[in-house]
Every structure is written in C-alpha cells, then in structure tokens.
Amino acid sequence: MIIIKNGTLLDPASNRSGMYDILIDEDRIARIGACGSLDDMAAECVSMKLMENPAAGEELSEIDASGCIVAPGLVDCHVHFRDPGFTYKEDIETGARAAAKGGFTTVVMMGNTEPHMDNVATIKDVLERGSKTGIRVLTCGNVTKGMDGKELVDMDALMEAGAVLFTDDGKPVTDSEIMEKACIEAAKRNMIISLHEENPELITNNGINAGEVSEKLGITGSPREAEISMVKRDIEIAEKTGAEIVVQHISTSEAVDLIREARARGVKVHAEATPHHFTLTQDAVLKYGSLAKMNPPLRLESDRQAIIAGLQDGTIEMIATDHAPHSREEKQKELTQAPSGITGLETSLSLGIRELVNTGFLTMGDLIDRMSAGPARVYGLDAGRITEGGYADLVIFNSGEEWSFVQSVSKSSNTPFLGQRLPGKIYNTICRGKVVYFHG
Ligand SMILES: [Zn+2]
C-alpha cells in the first residue's frame, strides 16, 4: 500500500482541492482524508493483509508530498510512438517512459506507423506491448486504409480490437465524400474522428508559416488558409452528419473562432492545442531552425494569444503534445527537407505552468483540467480524476520548483526546450497504484 501525505490535492473533475492524504491499495484509491487522518487505517490495513497472507510481505510505503500538488495522472490523446516501423525514432517502451517522466498515465498513439493502425493485428500488437509499459498506452485506429484517404477501414473490427478514436493524423481526409461517409459511420458507433486540418493543395513547403519568416528564408511555407478551409469544411460535415470531431493541434485564430461559434450552435466539435503552439511563434524558426518546424506551423503572436484565449474559455478542451520524435540526422537536414514535429511529453506540464499559469491566463486547476479531465471527458476515457474506488493514476509535482531539462528519456531529443530550466518539477508519477516515475 502507498500513503501520500501532506500534498495539495487538485482534482478539477470533482472540484476538490486542498490538503489531503491519499491511501492507495493495489491499483485503486482506497481513501482520501484530511492530513494525518489515514495513518491508523493504513497501518490496520497493512497488518490485516499480512495476517491474511504473510508470504506477500505487504508493506506501507509513504510518499511525502509536502509543498507539492497531487493531480490526476495526465492524459495525452495525441502521441507518436513510431512503433511499428520507425523505432529508430521512438518505440512504445521509450515513449511510455517519456510519458511517465512528464506526468502522463494515459496516452493515445497516432497511426502513421508502418504498418498503419488500419488493421486488427497491428492494433492488438501495440496494445499488447503497451500494456507492459506501466502506463496506459491506448491507440487510435485509422479512418482510411493505408491513410490514403480513399477507402474506409473496418471501424467495427478496429473498435473491437481496442481503437479509442479514429484519425489519419499526419494527413487530413481531403476527399469530402469520404470524410462525410466516415463521419456517418463514426457517428453510428459513437466514435470521434480526430483531424489533422491542413489542405495539402495549398502547401508548397510544410512546417513553416507562410509569411514574414518564410519570406526571409526564401521558402513558400504553409498558409493559414490551409487550416482554416479544412476546419470550415469539417465543421459543416460534422453539423450535417451529427458526427463528433476533434480538430487536432489548432494553430490559427480563425480556426479557434470557427470552433467557438460552431460549439455555441451545438456542433459536436472539440479542439486540442499543443504546448508549442501556445508557447512559440514563427520567429522560433529563425532561432531553432528545424526544431521549430512542425505541422501545422507555429504562427503569429495573435494566433498564440487566440489559442490561449480558447484554452481559457474552454473552446479548446485539451492540451495534447503531438509528441513527434525524429532522429538527429533527420532534423539536421536542411529546413525544407527536415521532417516536421518535436517531442513534447517531458515538457508539456512545465510549459503549461510557465506560459499559462504563471502568466495568469489559467488557474492551475484549469491547466490540469485541459491536461487530464478534459481529454478524458471528450473521449470517454476512465482517467483524469481522483476518486475513492477509482484507479490510482496520479502525478505529484512542485509547480514552483525548477528543473533542468538536460537529457531526454525519449529515443529522440528534437525539442527546442532541451537545455532550458523549467518550472514544475515532477516527483512521482503513479499509474494503477504503481510508481512509474520518481525523482528524489
Ligand atoms: Zn498532426
């Protein structure tokens, strides 16, 4: 058993915050009580267990969470673990390790793997391997076979195999007819389609915003219209079909506005924002080169502010890292040739604290909501809350204490934040009652 003492519990899902102790038995939260009130109960439980089964050698371990926040284990519904197919960048085990270090206990993998997540065997394989990592590794299923945007997958089969959402992330579903068909089929099954919204027809060089910076670099870049037009189309399709959709990694103020308006008239559209889109602008490309190249690209300060406003008023319900590992060799290619994306699991909470909470835009409770309860709510996952009898998925961190991000536990370290000192030191990540990460 584990007793977590003297921490400040912060659980947006139940609206509970304050000083509490938490007693964990096996994989569940046995009791939440006032500080010091659970000691006798914990000792009694342990001695009873010992009497029942002395060979098991039950012990009570204590975690002192003084000065720390105890929050629900974080949930990230958008990670690329590159497994199978590209395991030189990341694999399920190293990805899960990076997630645990960043406070995450539940992640959903994207399906631009090789083979793709368009078939039962691959989904079963990654879930089987994910179940051995200590955290909850879930997966999407693709929308179309081979992510080629032409033929729908067998949704029932992929759902039965365990897919929790459908997406062709990395690519939009460009054909409107296919998109509409996918929405109708997903709606019948109460499943969400999560969308990478960039119209490739409008893009010559992806990953860099078309504008001042791309001009300075002498490249064409990716125009904001590429996102806006797709978001507009897919809101229309969602409205027409009654389907529920998620706009992934939103990057433009116009798209935030479109989603806010659509939600107000009852369209079932959700959005996620990445830490890099609420932290950086296109100027970062001049400083960090390919480490600031991502799809969709970093855009203007006014876009960054609109994304923060969206997170503030709940238009954007989820923070998702879009953790996208690439090898050093790949990222060292010239800007137009280097692949898009950065890693994000180890720095997401810290960037949220630095850019959203310490600046006064979000309360800590709202940040934790967007990083745990929010995504759990949208996708209907059993995660993102701290309740008696519920799973013991927790993160314990000191929001005021800084740490140095000197080494990544991911296989890749393609992030502009490497080497920085960041607020929000994580001491423990606990998943299903087991400590999956700790820092002394
Ligand atoms: Zn994407």
Side-chain angles (χ1 to χ4, degrees):
M1 298 184 86
I2 301 175
I3 187 163
I4 301 168
K5 299 188 68 169
N6 307 314
T8 302
L9 187 151
L10 184 57
D11 181 42
S14 66
N15 244 330
R16 173 139 66 172
S17 70
M19 301 281 291
Y20 291 97
D21 288 354
I22 298 174
L23 184 63
I24 298 172
D25 184 14
E26 308 279 338
D27 59 345
R28 307 244 168 201
I29 293 171
R31 193 61 74 90
I32 302 167
C35 290
S37 71
L38 303 180
D39 296 4
D40 293 347
M41 183 189 172
E44 219 168 280
C45 283
V46 169
S47 57
M48 254 170 61
K49 281 182 177 241
L50 273 175
M51 258 173 13
E52 276 166 22
N53 186 3
E58 183 72 35
E59 276 177 28
L60 180 68
S61 47
E62 189 177 312
I63 293 174
D64 181 11
S66 300
C68 287
I69 289 172
V70 182
L74 305 178
V75 178
D76 186 350
C77 292
H78 192 146
V79 302
H80 297 271
F81 282 177
R82 309 299 193 200
D83 189 352
F86 307 95
T87 50
Y88 64 95
K89 300 175 194 249
E90 192 78 289
D91 60 41
I92 290 172
E93 217 184 300
T94 55
R97 212 178 298 154
K101 186 185 166 198
F104 293 90
T105 53
T106 302
V107 297
V108 180
M109 296 186 294
M110 294 293 104
N112 53 350
T113 45
E114 194 54 57
H116 291 89
M117 301 294 176
D118 60 356
N119 69 89
V120 168
T122 305
I123 287 178
K124 282 193 171 160
D125 166 52
V126 296
L127 289 177
E128 160 70 16
R129 289 187 289 125
S131 70
K132 293 172 185 154
T133 60
I135 67 159
R136 285 181 79 204
V137 177
L138 308 175
T139 185
C140 73
N142 288 134
V143 180
T144 63
K145 287 185 185 165
M147 284 177 51
D148 66 359
K150 294 192 180 97
E151 195 187 338
L152 292 189
V153 295
D154 181 344
M155 286 187 177
D156 291 325
L158 301 196
M159 282 168 68
E160 210 184 297
V164 294
L165 59 94
F166 293 115
T167 182
D168 279 355
D169 178 46
K171 291 180 181 175
V173 184
T174 42
D175 186 322
S176 301
E177 258 174 59
I178 298 288
M179 177 60 190
E180 195 171 321
K181 228 167 103 184
C183 277
I184 290 167
E185 293 306 317
K188 272 188 211 161
R189 294 162 175 82
N190 257 322
M191 285 284 275
I192 291 180
I193 298 187
S194 186
L195 297 154
H196 183 122
E197 300 290 52
E198 279 188 299
N199 184 350
E201 280 174 21
L202 302 181
I203 303 169
T204 324
N205 303 117
N206 68 12
I208 316 287
N209 183 45
E212 222 175 281
V213 170
S214 69
E215 272 163 35
K216 213 177 269 182
L217 295 166
I219 55 180
T220 323
S222 170
R224 55 199 303 111
E225 286 72 26
E227 174 172 283
I228 299 161
S229 56
M230 291 297 292
V231 170
K232 215 178 260 174
R233 184 203 71 171
D234 288 337
I235 285 174
E236 274 169 28
I237 294 176
E239 191 161 20
K240 185 175 161 193
T241 58
E244 194 165 359
I245 60 168
V246 165
V247 172
Q248 299 177 316
H249 38 51
I250 195 163
S251 73
T252 61
S253 60
E254 291 91 335
V256 177
D257 289 341
L258 284 167
I259 289 165
R260 186 179 287 114
E261 288 156 19
R263 285 170 64 85
R265 59 173 196 273
V267 184
K268 289 183 264 180
V269 55
H270 311 274
E272 42 170 66
T274 70
H276 41 275
H277 285 108
F278 66 65
T279 299
L280 301 170
T281 65
Q282 58 177 2
D283 293 342
V285 179
L286 299 173
K287 188 171 174 191
Y288 300 111
S290 71
L291 292 182
K293 178 183 180 182
M294 45 272 273
N295 301 338
L298 301 168
R299 300 197 195 267
L300 311 178
E301 175 59 18
S302 50
D303 295 309
R304 192 181 79 86
Q305 290 296 335
I307 288 166
I308 292 173
L311 284 163
Q312 254 178 332
D313 72 8
T315 299
I316 302 170
E317 295 158 277
M318 305 178 274
I319 291 172
T321 63
D322 192 7
H323 180 79
H326 292 294
S327 73
R328 190 180 304 268
E329 294 70 33
E330 288 169 317
K331 274 296 198 185
Q332 273 172 350
K333 290 180 184 167
E334 68 175 285
L335 198 53
T336 53
Q337 300 306 311
S340 292
I342 61 171
T343 58
L345 285 164
E346 293 166 80
T347 49
S348 186
L349 178 63
S350 289
L351 293 173
I353 292 169
R354 191 180 79 184
E355 302 296 329
L356 304 174
V357 178
N358 291 354
T359 48
F361 291 120
L362 259 66
T363 62
M364 185 62 80
D366 282 342
L367 174 66
I368 295 301
D369 176 79
R370 308 298 183 261
M371 295 187 74
S372 60
R377 212 162 40 228
V378 169
Y379 288 110
L381 305 174
D382 185 4
R385 56 174 188 267
I386 304 177
T387 44
E388 289 181 354
Y391 283 119
D393 293 353
L394 302 163
V395 56
I396 302 172
F397 65 98
N398 186 325
S399 65
E401 192 177 344
E402 291 196 340
W403 62 288
S404 293
F405 183 30
V406 286
Q407 200 172 8
S408 183
V409 298
S410 162
K411 267 190 194 173
S412 301
S413 47
N414 52 306
T415 158
F417 305 111
L418 197 69
Q420 290 195 13
R421 274 189 79 70
L422 298 164
K425 182 168 172 174
I426 295 172
Y427 279 93
N428 293 276
T429 306
I430 296 170
C431 185
R432 297 292 195 261
K434 292 213 164 60
V435 176
V436 290
Y437 171 78
F438 72 95
H439 191 291

